Amino acid sequence: MTVGLKSFQTSTAGMSGFGAGTDQDIAELSKALEAGYQTGAGKTGGSALRVESLEASLKVITYSSSHIKFWKKIPKSPAYSTVEEYNQLVNYGGSQNPFVQEGELPQATDTSYARRVQLVKFLGTTREVTHQASLVHPAHGDLIALENQSGILWLLEQVERNLFQGDSSLSFDGEAEQWDGLDSLVDASQVLDLEGNSIQEADLEEAANEVIENFGFPTDIFLGTRTMSDLVKTFYPRERISLPAPQNGQVGNTIQTISTQAGVIEFNPNVFIRQNPTPPAAASSANAPATPASIAAGAVTGTDGDHNKGAPAGDSNVSYVVTACNRFGESAPTAVLGAVVTTTQVNKDAGVHIPLTVTNPGTIGAFPPEYFRIYRSSAKLAAGVPADLSSYSLVAQVPAASQAAAGTTTYNDVNLTLPFTSTAYLGELTPSVVTFRQLMPMMKMDLAVLSPAYRWMILLYGTPILFAPKKWIRMINIGRLDVR
C-alpha cells in the first residue's frame, strides 16, 4: 500500500494540491483528447480516432417524380410507325341555309375532313458506372440503380418541359429533332394575352369560354407555381373565417379546382412552367454553336407591332442579346446591343416593329447554329443600356436563315412576347382531344462492355398529338402580382 502511494506521489510531482499541472501540460492533454472537425486523411490526434457520420439516406435537393404533372396526366396511346397520321372531321357540311320551299330539293352539303401528320421523336440519355465503383460499399445503395433512377428522372424532366415548349420548326434544314409542344400545337387564334398582368379569376373564365365556344369541355389548367400563388393571393381580401374559429386556428386558401360556366377545371401547378429565362452565362455544351458575332437593330417600321403592350407611356427603350442553339445546347450570349432601341409614343401608336439582324461568327466550327434565341430587356423610359444579363429575358426563338460564316438571320420584333412573363395552358385533357403516341415506352437498353464499366441507355420514342387544336388555349404574358 505504501509503494502504491509513493508511486502516486512520484507521478504527481510538480502539480498543485488540486492536481493541476502547467498550462502547457494541460494544453497538450486537451489537444490529445479533442475530437476536432478535421476530415479526410489529414486527421491527427483524437480526430484520427473519430468515426465520421454520414447520413444513411440520400438527400434530394432537386425535383422528384412528384413534380412531373403533365406527363402523368396526358393520355397515352401506342404508335405503330415513325409517321403517325390521323383524320380530323372539320365540319358537318358548311354553313348553307337549310330552309327550302315546299317540294324543293335541299342543297347538297358534304362533310369536311382533313388528314394530319405527326412525326415520332426520339429521346435518350446514356449513363455509366465503372466496374470498380460497383464493387465498393456505397453509402446510399446500388450505384447502378441510383444512376438509372437519376437518368429516368432527368429524361422525364426533358419530356415535361417539351410537352409545353417543344417546337419542331426550329431547324435549319429539314425536320428538327424535337417534337411540337402545346406552344406550337395549340391553334394560333387560341391565345389570351394578359399583357404583363397577373392572372385573375376573370381571366380563367374568359379562357374557359374560348374553349367551350370551340366545342371543347375544359378540364385542366397547367400553370406555374408562381402564377398559381398569385391567383390564390387575389382571394385573400375576400376570405372570411367562420366563428367559432377553425380547428387549430388554420387560415388561408387551398385551391384545387375552379367552377366556370364551361365546367369545373382542375389546377395543375407545375414547377417546370416558369417565367421566360435569362441568357446563360456560358455555353451549355461543348458541342453548342459558336457565339453569334452580333445582333443589330434597324429603324422601326411597319404596322404589325404592339410595343404599347407592357410598356410605360412615352418613349420606350429596349436592348437585346442573342445566343445560337443546336440539338446539343446553347452558346454563350453576344455582347449586349451597344445602343438602346428607342420607340417613340407616336411610333408605338402606329404599330411599328423593331427589325433585328443576327450575324454569325466569322468561324462557324464543327457545330453550326440551327436557331437563335433572342433576349430583350423590359421597356423602360431611361435611355441606359442594361449591362447585367439578368436584365434580359427570352422573347423569341428564330430558325437560322444561314449557317455560313458571317451569314445573317433577320427577325421582326412585334412585341408578341413580353420579357419576364410566363404562360398557362387550359383545355380538354381527354383521349379524343390530346394524346401521347408511344412508339416505345421508356426503357433501358444495355450497351456493349468495351472497358471495365457498365454503360446503358434510357430511351423513349413518341410524340404528343393535339387532335383538336382549338380545344386548348394559351394564356400568354402572365406577369407577377407584386410588380403589376
Side-chain angles (χ1 to χ4, degrees), residues 294-310:
S294 65
I295 180 171
V300 297
T301 185
T303 58
D304 56 344
D306 185 13
H307 284 274
N308 275 317
K309 181 173 67 179

Side-chain angles (χ1 to χ4, degrees), residues 208-324:
N209 185 66
E210 287 292 325
V211 172
I212 202 168
E213 286 187 353
N214 284 284
F215 313 108
F217 296 95
T219 61
D220 290 81
I221 178 172
F222 293 88
L223 69 172
T225 54
R226 167 57 62 181
T227 301
M228 184 70 195
S229 177
D230 285 345
L231 176 63
V232 171
K233 291 175 186 176
T234 64
F235 292 96
Y236 286 171
R238 291 177 277 173
E239 185 176 354
R240 298 292 184 267
I241 300 175
S242 302
L243 293 177
Q247 184 179 4
N248 299 325
Q250 179 175 319
V251 297
N253 281 323
T254 300
I255 300 176
Q256 306 290 339
T257 60
I258 183 172
S259 180
T260 70
Q261 293 303 306
V264 176
I265 299 172
E266 182 177 350
F267 287 107
N268 298 275
N270 194 311
V271 297
F272 299 112
I273 301 176
R274 303 199 175 191
Q275 72 175 20
N276 302 333
T278 56
S284 63
S285 169
N287 296 337
T291 301
S294 65
I295 180 171
V300 297
T301 185
T303 58
D304 56 344
D306 185 13
H307 284 274
N308 275 317
K309 181 173 67 179
D315 298 352
S316 297
N317 298 281
V318 296
S319 190
Y320 297 87
V321 298
V322 65
T323 61

Side-chain angles (χ1 to χ4, degrees), residues 165-247:
Q165 302 165 4
D167 187 351
S168 66
S169 70
L170 298 177
S171 173
F172 173 72
D173 184 16
E175 184 72 20
E177 287 78 12
Q178 57 183 298
W179 60 48
D180 283 319
L182 289 182
D183 280 338
S184 300
L185 293 173
V186 174
D187 192 272
S189 65
Q190 288 295 91
V191 173
L192 180 62
D193 194 339
L194 270 62
E195 300 186 352
N197 296 316
S198 62
I199 198 167
Q200 305 289 316
E201 191 175 358
D203 299 322
L204 299 176
E205 179 67 37
E206 179 64 26
N209 185 66
E210 287 292 325
V211 172
I212 202 168
E213 286 187 353
N214 284 284
F215 313 108
F217 296 95
T219 61
D220 290 81
I221 178 172
F222 293 88
L223 69 172
T225 54
R226 167 57 62 181
T227 301
M228 184 70 195
S229 177
D230 285 345
L231 176 63
V232 171
K233 291 175 186 176
T234 64
F235 292 96
Y236 286 171
R238 291 177 277 173
E239 185 176 354
R240 298 292 184 267
I241 300 175
S242 302
L243 293 177
Q247 184 179 4

